Amino acid sequence: MKAVTWQGRRKVSVETVPDPTIQEPTDVIVRITSTGLCGSDLHLYEVLGPFLDPGDVLGHEPMGIVEEVGPEVRRLRPGTRVVVPFNVSCGTCATCAAGLQSQCETTQVHAYDTGAALFGYTKLYGQVPGGQAEYLRVPFGDTLPVPVPEGPPDDRFVYLSDVLPTAWQAVDYADVPPGGAVAVIGLGPIGDMACRIALHKGAGLVIGIDPVRKRLARAAARGVHALDPSGADGELVARVKDLTDGRGPDAVIDAVGMEAHGAPVAQGLQTLVGHLPDAVARPLMRRYGVDRLSALHLAVELVRRGGTVSLAGVYGGAVDPMPLFVMFDKQIRLHMGQANVLRWVDELLPLLTDDDPLGVDDFATHRLPLAQAPDAYDMFQAKRDGAVKILFTP
């Protein structure tokens, strides 16, 4: 089959790799019909090379048709249309039962002391082959894949794999009071969708912050108060406070993570580590890696006293300097974590109707064949051509 593979820093290629096979009696094989390019994939493209091997298959936002089922699978049959959550979770352990599928006790990666395994996401999370491919082996066939109705195009459902539950959790964790104000830093796919969900759930004011003009216009068209952070940080803080009676928003969602701009020293360290031999780079990244924390520091500065910072962006360093004095003094609540996809599916599916209140049908900015993945990664990383969400069709 054809699959998108990691070959080195800022280098991916579409290669022929072996077709996946049933390995456990509860496995299913899914023929992929649509698969997304995620902002988190850029972490692999740019930063996390020490935890990848050339040829690793990328991608964690797939959906498709079940082609084959293992002998113990009872819920699915060949021909069932499914979305595959990015968490590899068993659905039956204590953490899964508590709605914390991102911490699944069955698939936790003990070698790195990390949470549940993820599709297509480095040795840190199990080195499980990903879904930017023609076929995907999916374990836990009776509990992990999400069956979806026939009929509507893939765009209606594919975001259940990651974008929708990640943004929904970010808004839920933000705990915005009815009619309250929330600021969203970063208007990539997660931030853009978080703005839409916050408005849908009753926020009175949603402020979207991003330096890319086309992303600001896209958010503003849906009722978001869009702000360009260009200029001194104090000017942005003043503008946000002017919109919120001088207090700051009730909550701030950081939808950026380690891709934040404006921290050249940390960026330089990440680049340096990325060029070191893996045996040297891995412990440095794990123990001493420093992320670009400008977005998170901005979130702490913007939020009102007693407010909440919801962290949806992924950070990778272990000893990041946090403004703990300011956080303590402002009595800020910080809620974070990988999205627990299956926890939110029942709340999201009723919204994926013909009314399309979240605008999923036209959420993708680009739809490309899998063969164009190398160009798509480069375009998305450089934020060219208005790229916010790219879907591949294998």
Side-chain angles (χ1 to χ4, degrees), residues 22 35 63 150 232:
I22 298 290
T35 184
M63 70 171 292
E150 298 292 340

Side-chain angles (χ1 to χ4, degrees), residues 1 30-31 37 54 60 71 77 85 89 98 134 154 157 159 185 207 240 247 252 266 268 287-288 324-325 336 358 376:
M1 70 171 183
V30 177
R31 175 174 58 84
L37 174 56
H60 58 270
R77 66 179 187 276
S89 59
E134 293 180 309
D154 281 7
F157 302 113
Y159 305 116
I185 303 174
I207 303 166
V240 172
R247 297 187 186 91
V252 179
R287 297 180 185 178
Y288 306 113
L324 291 177
F325 174 79
M336 69 183 90
L358 300 179

Side-chain angles (χ1 to χ4, degrees), residues 11-316:
K11 184 178 180 182
V12 301
S13 64
V14 179
E15 305 289 344
T16 299
V17 302
D19 290 354
T21 60
I22 298 290
Q23 298 179 21
E24 300 291 339
T26 54
D27 289 349
V28 301
I29 304 297
V30 177
R31 175 174 58 84
I32 304 303
T33 56
S34 293
T35 184
L37 174 56
C38 178
S40 294
D41 291 323
L42 296 181
H43 305 155
L44 315 185
Y45 190 65
E46 181 76 24
V47 177
L48 295 176
F51 299 99
L52 289 155
D53 292 326
D56 281 354
V57 179
L58 305 180
H60 58 270
E61 298 186 349
M63 70 171 292
I65 307 298
V66 174
E67 288 281 302
E68 185 181 356
V69 301
E72 293 183 9
V73 175
R74 300 290 179 263
R75 188 175 62 130
L76 303 178
R77 66 179 187 276
T80 304
R81 190 186 195 195
V82 296
V83 173
V84 181
F86 75 90
N87 318 116
V88 184
S89 59
C90 71
T92 56
C93 69
T95 52
C96 285
L100 294 170
Q101 290 86 5
S102 67
Q103 308 302 321
C104 174
E105 293 176 342
T106 303
T107 72
Q108 285 174 8
V109 183
H110 297 294
Y112 291 99
D113 196 24
T114 52
L118 309 177
F119 286 105
Y121 212 77
T122 81
K123 295 172 184 177
L124 290 170
Y125 289 98
Q127 206 171 23
V128 181
Q132 289 173 5
E134 293 180 309
Y135 294 91
L136 178 68
R137 170 185 168 259
V138 181
F140 311 113
D142 278 335
T143 53
L144 181 55
V146 178
V148 294
E150 298 292 340
D154 281 7
D155 288 39
R156 185 72 57 85
F157 302 113
V158 67
Y159 305 116
L160 283 171
S161 59
D162 182 352
V163 173
L164 282 169
T166 298
W168 191 273
Q169 178 172 295
V171 176
D172 183 87
Y173 282 7
D175 195 24
V176 185
V182 58
V184 179
I185 303 174
L187 296 177
I190 302 303
D192 186 321
M193 185 56 73
C195 288
R196 300 179 186 204
I197 289 169
L199 288 167
H200 175 77
K201 295 184 77 169
L205 173 66
V206 177
I207 303 166
I209 300 169
D210 197 287
V212 180
R213 184 176 302 173
K214 288 185 177 180
R215 294 185 175 190
L216 292 171
R218 175 178 159 105
R222 298 193 66 92
V224 175
H225 193 103
L227 292 180
D228 184 339
S230 299
D233 284 347
E235 294 176 11
L236 176 62
V237 173
R239 283 183 284 165
V240 172
K241 286 193 173 183
D242 284 344
L243 294 169
T244 55
D245 298 324
R247 297 187 186 91
D250 301 291
V252 179
I253 296 171
D254 173 0
V256 179
M258 70 172 77
E259 290 300 317
H261 297 283
V265 173
Q267 183 175 1
L269 288 171
Q270 289 178 351
T271 301
L272 173 63
V273 170
H275 286 293
L276 294 172
D278 287 353
V280 177
R282 286 174 193 156
L284 288 175
M285 285 288 288
R286 287 282 293 163
R287 297 180 185 178
Y288 306 113
V290 177
D291 285 316
R292 288 175 269 178
L293 291 172
S294 53
L296 184 52
H297 281 257
L298 177 60
V300 171
E301 189 171 5
L302 288 176
V303 72
R304 69 164 172 81
R305 292 180 177 273
T308 300
V309 171
S310 174
L311 179 54
V314 176
Y315 288 91

